[in-house]
Amino acid sequence: MTDPLRKPSRKNPVERTRKPTLPAATRSRTFHGMTRAAAEGRFELQVCHECRQVQYPPRDVCGYCLSHRLQWSEVDRSARLVATTVLHHSNDVYFRERLPWRIGTVQMTVGPVVIAHVHPACQEGMPVQLEMKLDRSGNAALFAVPQELPPHYQDDPMMREMTNNVKFRRVLVTDGKSGLGMAMIRTLLQTDASIVFLGDPQPWRPSPAFNTLLTDSRVQVHSMDVTDSDSLERVAAEIGGKVDVLINTADLLRDGGMLGTNTISTASDMFDVSCLGLLRLAQTFGGAMAGRAADGVNSASAWVNIFSVHAMASLPSRGVWSAAQAGGLSLSHCLRAEMQMAGIRVMNVFTGPVDYEWEQTTPPPRVAPSQIARQIVQALANGLEDVYVGDVANDIRERLRSNAKALERELAGGN
């Protein structure tokens, strides 16, 4: 049984903040097959194509028949906890600051014996299930949890170190007036988020639905626009040192390819939001969040960027917008590399067509903003890094993996 997480006491601004530390980060290229699976919330290990033996740790040839034909596949995550120990001392600085830390030997049903982080609700000899999590250095780690998850199991300090649950955290939604932004706010208010900061890029535009959300005492609204550096600097000076999770919901969608009627000014506006807007946010809020990555339970935790799945595969009828999305995705990868040094998770969310005013003529299936918001909150709680929302996004992901050139031709033909 895990005790419910209690709301942390107010941080003492005079007390020295710990320098951010990370667990050991060196891994082989082969190992990062596990990292890829953990980033998307899957449980995959290598399976030998010849003898069908499951491999752990990841290796270049089969440990049983020496075949090099190893495939990453979903495997049964059930196991039995053989033995445990609790570390009360560690020479590693990261773990030394977070002791005690529980680890154990786990016998998987599919064969391998692994060393895993162990949830306190697990007892020796009992059946458990393994989860694949990303640690603070961005590498996959195995975590043993009970097969029947107890209430508040994610409140365990070890589990919280590897996830980004919004519980008792302060969250900034950059554009709270958009359809997705308001759905994000409603979902966050249903959790135990401590404070929800809202960006309002158009204070002059009335919105009764938006005003209704402001009646909650946890909501604080700020006039900010990702295309206006001055507004971002003003807001960052006020709340930049308080934001634990930043969710960038800003977007500008317009139709048109390169040879159509789309003007350069419209293209510039889309790039200004999706690319330069993300750059401005990183320059104004990124440093403060990275500096607070070691504040214990009050630490900055995650940065969420929301893209269309066409950032990965251009849609010719919206080619310029797809390019702006792709540029934002490239900047997000850069931000992830820089934030990784502080242990802050940068999560990319890829969606299909969203069910709002600019997609009214798009044939279904479309994704409801509320569905995107719920999956973002769940993905944060699970510590994911890449999230695909909706049938279209998942379909394009699979088509990219199977035959990217065929997908390019199909999208050009409108399929």
Side-chain angles (χ1 to χ4, degrees):
M1 182 69 181
T2 303
D3 293 332
L5 183 71
R6 299 185 181 278
K7 186 173 182 178
S9 58
R10 189 178 181 86
K11 179 189 172 186
N12 182 356
V14 180
E15 185 178 355
R16 179 180 177 88
T17 300
R18 296 177 302 169
K19 182 179 178 180
T21 56
L22 299 174
T26 303
R27 299 291 190 277
S28 69
R29 182 180 179 85
T30 303
F31 176 90
H32 286 305
M34 281 180 58
T35 302
R36 174 180 54 82
E40 297 181 6
R42 302 196 308 276
F43 191 89
E44 292 186 357
L45 292 177
Q46 290 172 309
V47 178
C48 179
H49 183 77
E50 303 293 341
C51 67
R52 309 308 300 169
Q53 293 290 334
V54 177
Q55 315 290 312
Y56 186 86
R59 46 175 60 93
D60 294 325
V61 296
C62 175
Y64 298 87
C65 69
L66 300 183
S67 170
H68 66 279
R69 301 178 66 186
L70 302 177
Q71 300 173 331
W72 288 98
S73 306
E74 291 267 3
V75 299
D76 184 3
R77 62 181 68 191
S78 64
R80 182 176 64 86
L81 183 58
V82 178
T84 64
T85 187
V86 178
L87 300 180
H88 294 279
H89 171 78
S90 175
N91 292 329
D92 186 284
V93 178
Y94 173 84
F95 289 104
R96 190 166 62 207
E97 293 180 341
R98 292 161 176 81
L99 297 174
W101 198 274
R102 193 171 186 228
I103 61 174
T105 303
V106 180
Q107 172 71 64
M108 295 185 65
T109 303
V110 292
V113 177
V114 305
I115 303 297
H117 307 284
V118 180
H119 193 278
C122 297
Q123 303 299 322
E124 292 184 7
M126 71 180 289
V128 296
Q129 64 180 2
L130 288 170
E131 293 186 354
M132 210 170 277
K133 299 292 186 184
L134 291 176
D135 64 18
R136 287 293 179 186
S137 66
N139 293 314
L142 296 179
F143 208 115
V145 298
Q147 289 191 336
E148 294 186 7
L149 299 176
H152 314 296
Y153 86 101
Q154 289 185 324
D155 290 349
D156 171 54
M158 289 172 54
M159 179 69 74
R160 201 163 167 88
E161 274 293 316
M162 296 188 188
T163 58
N164 309 103
N165 201 321
V166 298
K167 188 173 184 179
F168 297 144
R169 296 196 188 275
R170 295 161 292 195
V171 185
L172 169 62
V173 179
T174 59
D175 183 353
K177 219 168 214 179
S178 66
L180 177 55
M182 285 190 282
M184 195 76 249
I185 296 163
R186 295 188 190 98
T187 303
L188 288 169
L189 292 177
Q190 293 171 4
T191 69
D192 290 323
S194 177
I195 299 175
V196 180
F197 301 112
L198 307 184
D200 183 359
Q202 299 172 325
W204 48 268
R205 181 169 67 89
S207 175
F210 180 74
N211 293 336
T212 301
L213 297 173
L214 304 184
T215 58
D216 193 294
S217 60
R218 292 173 290 170
V219 173
Q220 296 182 16
V221 63
H222 298 269
S223 178
M224 61 179 286
D225 184 347
V226 298
T227 66
D228 181 2
S229 297
D230 290 340
S231 74
L232 294 181
E233 289 172 359
R234 286 194 299 270
V235 176
E238 183 178 353
I239 66 169
K242 302 176 183 178
V243 175
D244 301 327
V245 177
L246 186 149
I247 303 176
N248 182 19
T249 56
D251 185 25
L252 179 64
L253 168 61
R254 297 294 184 269
D255 288 338
M258 296 180 67
L259 304 181
T261 59
N262 198 49
T263 64
I264 293 296
S265 61
T266 302
S268 178
D269 290 341
M270 289 189 280
F271 275 87
D272 202 22
V273 172
S274 297
C275 293
L276 296 180
L278 175 54
L279 180 59
R280 294 185 190 99
L281 282 169
Q283 291 178 338
T284 50
F285 287 92
M289 291 182 67
R292 291 189 46 253
D295 273 359
V297 291
N298 286 322
S299 65
S301 173
W303 183 302
V304 180
N305 292 316
I306 304 171
F307 300 105
S308 165
V309 73
H310 292 296
M312 306 171 67
S314 178
L315 182 65
S317 62
R318 293 174 176 170
V320 178
W321 174 68
S322 298
Q325 294 284 297
L329 176 58
S330 181
L331 285 176
S332 184
H333 287 158
C334 174
L335 179 65
R336 178 180 289 168
E338 296 187 45
M339 285 293 206
Q340 191 61 68
M341 294 183 289
I344 292 180
R345 185 75 36 82
V346 174
M347 187 169 79
N348 292 331
V349 179
F350 302 97
T351 76
V354 182
D355 191 12
Y356 76 133
E357 61 268 24
W358 288 101
E359 297 276 15
Q360 290 180 3
T361 61
T362 303
R366 295 192 293 266
V367 186
S370 58
Q371 180 184 349
I372 299 173
R374 287 194 300 270
Q375 285 201 226
I376 288 174
V377 170
Q378 186 60 51
L380 285 167
N382 290 332
L384 305 188
E385 198 170 73
D386 296 306
V387 182
Y388 296 82
V389 185
D391 294 337
V392 173
N394 282 285
D395 178 60
I396 288 182
R397 175 186 62 175
E398 296 305 320
R399 289 159 72 187
L400 271 173
R401 288 177 177 172
S402 63
N403 192 333
K405 184 56 67 176
L407 175 61
E408 179 187 337
R409 296 293 190 267
E410 290 161 357
L411 290 175
N415 298 321

